Amino acid sequence: MEKIAYYWQRLRRNPLAWNLFLIAAVIVGAAVAAHVVMQLSTRHGARRIVPDFAGVKLDDARRIARERSLDIHVNDSLFVPAYEGGIVLDQLPEGGVEVKPGRTVYVTINACRQKRVPVPYVAGRSLRQAKNMLEIAGLEIAELVYRPDIATNYVLEERLEGVRITETSRVEAEMGSGVTLHVGVEPGHGTTVVPQIVGLSLRDAKSRLWEQGLNIGRVRFDQGINLLNQKEARVYVQIPAAERRATLGSQVELRLALDGGKIAEHRKTAERQARQTAEQRMTEERARADSAAAAELTQEEQEETAGRSDAETPAGGDDEFFF
């Protein structure tokens, strides 16, 4: 102890050494204090297990979260008739995951009832414009019904559950409902080309098909797909395949999956087949166009030959010429 006191006294009698010592002490003290504050603010080492809130009422979920130093934030809501309104349907992070205290858990709850939205008047517009207006309103196309008219793919009439929508109608429908559109088609223009939709979500696939004047046929989902993860599912089979000719208003069948590898494999195959089909279709169309042009040219030549023959024959005929 005497040696420590001796060296301490010598240090204090040396101004330069004493000042350096004080600076070093301040730096070390500040570093220790910062470390302690950081440990406290981040609760280093403290972990919480996220409860599984699926099927739990929102108020109960919030109470349970507070007990575990977690927060609940409602990120989205769906309307699933099979479940009670106000319960948690999905969450992120999932139940059983370790997180730090104070972490926010984002949940999707079941709405008590489906939201109702005004139905826009879309008659007199092009099919593309009508589709966009319905999608913006939160609605979709239930069916495209084609009938003869001079304007192809223009909406002639709009109906909701059989009731005609007029410009003065003030009608509301549940979000996601379908509206039937009666669309014109000029004689001789009643076909379209099936678009490539493998790899798209159901919503995007429907939109692409409606733009081409096609209806949605049977939709089948692979096992494991439900109302909660349906948005992540992608088309991996379409019937008929892309780039084929189809009658306006005909149906396209869809199959969807969640397996990314499966979807990528089918998409690669579908795109290759689509290119081949498109090339074949264009070749056939060029051949038909050339054949029609040749037939027209032959007809013109025949008419021209007949015209020359008539011009060379005297008006009175052969008997009158030799008389």
Side-chain angles (χ1 to χ4, degrees), residues 168-231:
T168 58
S169 297
R170 297 294 180 265
V171 181
E172 289 188 346
E174 289 186 352
M175 183 174 288
S177 298
V179 176
T180 299
L181 300 181
H182 292 252
V183 189
V185 55
E186 185 180 356
H189 296 78
T191 62
T192 185
V193 177
V194 179
Q196 153 63 15
I197 55 176
V198 173
L200 299 183
S201 65
L202 179 59
R203 178 179 178 179
D204 292 341
K206 285 181 175 182
S207 185
R208 289 284 300 277
L209 292 173
W210 289 328
E211 285 183 359
Q212 295 300 117
L214 296 167
N215 281 306
I216 314 304
R218 183 180 180 186
V219 178
R220 293 195 291 177
F221 295 95
D222 277 8
Q223 189 174 2
I225 299 177
N226 52 47
L227 290 171
L228 301 180
N229 59 20
Q230 194 178 102
K231 292 181 180 179

Side-chain angles (χ1 to χ4, degrees), residues 192-195 214 240-247 273-274 277-278 280-281:
T192 185
V193 177
V194 179
L214 296 167
E243 294 297 331
R244 296 182 181 275
R245 280 280 176 187
T247 304
Q273 293 176 347
T277 304
Q280 181 181 356
R281 177 170 51 79

Side-chain angles (χ1 to χ4, degrees), residues 286-323:
R286 281 195 297 267
R288 284 195 296 268
D290 292 343
S291 177
E296 184 178 353
L297 180 61
T298 301
Q299 180 67 24
E300 290 178 355
E301 290 176 348
Q302 290 176 352
E303 291 176 354
E304 184 179 351
T305 301
R308 284 200 302 268
S309 298
D310 292 342
E312 292 173 356
T313 303
D318 292 343
D319 293 342
E320 184 177 349
F321 177 77
F322 288 106
F323 179 72

Side-chain angles (χ1 to χ4, degrees), residues 38-292:
M38 186 175 294
Q39 294 290 323
L40 293 175
S41 62
T42 59
R43 295 184 175 97
H44 185 72
R47 309 293 290 180
R48 297 288 187 274
I49 302 296
V50 177
D52 184 2
F53 294 117
V56 178
K57 282 275 193 180
L58 180 59
D59 290 341
D60 293 336
R62 284 175 169 154
R63 176 181 54 77
I64 296 171
R66 283 195 299 270
E67 293 173 355
R68 289 164 173 75
S69 301
L70 300 173
D71 292 328
I72 290 285
H73 177 76
V74 178
N75 190 47
D76 197 4
S77 64
L78 298 174
F79 178 66
V80 184
Y83 296 99
E84 184 181 356
I87 68 169
V88 175
L89 298 174
D90 196 16
Q91 67 182 80
L92 186 69
E94 299 177 349
V97 176
E98 283 192 358
V99 297
K100 291 181 180 180
R103 174 69 182 271
T104 298
V105 180
Y106 297 91
V107 299
T108 299
I109 65 170
N110 189 38
C112 294
R113 64 181 223 171
Q114 185 63 292
K115 181 181 177 181
R116 297 185 69 83
V117 295
V119 179
Y121 178 68
V122 299
R125 300 179 182 272
S126 69
L127 176 57
R128 182 186 293 268
Q129 290 175 319
K131 175 194 73 72
N132 291 340
M133 290 175 65
L134 290 172
E135 288 178 341
I136 291 172
L139 303 170
E140 61 179 33
I141 297 174
E143 184 182 10
L144 295 173
V145 179
Y146 279 87
R147 65 192 197 197
D149 192 79
I150 59 172
T152 299
N153 278 332
Y154 269 78
V155 179
L156 307 176
E157 187 178 312
E158 173 187 7
R159 288 182 175 271
L160 176 66
E161 297 178 350
V163 179
R164 184 176 181 180
I165 305 297
T166 66
E167 196 167 3
T168 58
S169 297
R170 297 294 180 265
V171 181
E172 289 188 346
E174 289 186 352
M175 183 174 288
S177 298
V179 176
T180 299
L181 300 181
H182 292 252
V183 189
V185 55
E186 185 180 356
H189 296 78
T191 62
T192 185
V193 177
V194 179
Q196 153 63 15
I197 55 176
V198 173
L200 299 183
S201 65
L202 179 59
R203 178 179 178 179
D204 292 341
K206 285 181 175 182
S207 185
R208 289 284 300 277
L209 292 173
W210 289 328
E211 285 183 359
Q212 295 300 117
L214 296 167
N215 281 306
I216 314 304
R218 183 180 180 186
V219 178
R220 293 195 291 177
F221 295 95
D222 277 8
Q223 189 174 2
I225 299 177
N226 52 47
L227 290 171
L228 301 180
N229 59 20
Q230 194 178 102
K231 292 181 180 179
E232 284 72 48
R234 295 292 182 269
V235 176
Y236 73 95
V237 171
Q238 63 175 99
I239 303 173
E243 294 297 331
R244 296 182 181 275
R245 280 280 176 187
T247 304
L248 287 171
S250 57
Q251 295 184 344
V252 177
E253 179 180 336
L254 307 176
R255 299 177 189 173
L256 292 92
L258 289 171
D259 187 338
K262 180 179 182 179
I263 295 167
E265 181 181 352
H266 280 77
R267 181 173 184 174
K268 184 177 179 180
T269 301
E271 289 176 345
R272 184 180 68 252
Q273 293 176 347
R275 287 192 297 269
Q276 295 173 350
T277 304
E279 292 173 359
Q280 181 181 356
R281 177 170 51 79
M282 292 175 65
T283 301
E284 293 174 352
E285 289 176 354
R286 281 195 297 267
R288 284 195 296 268
D290 292 343
S291 177

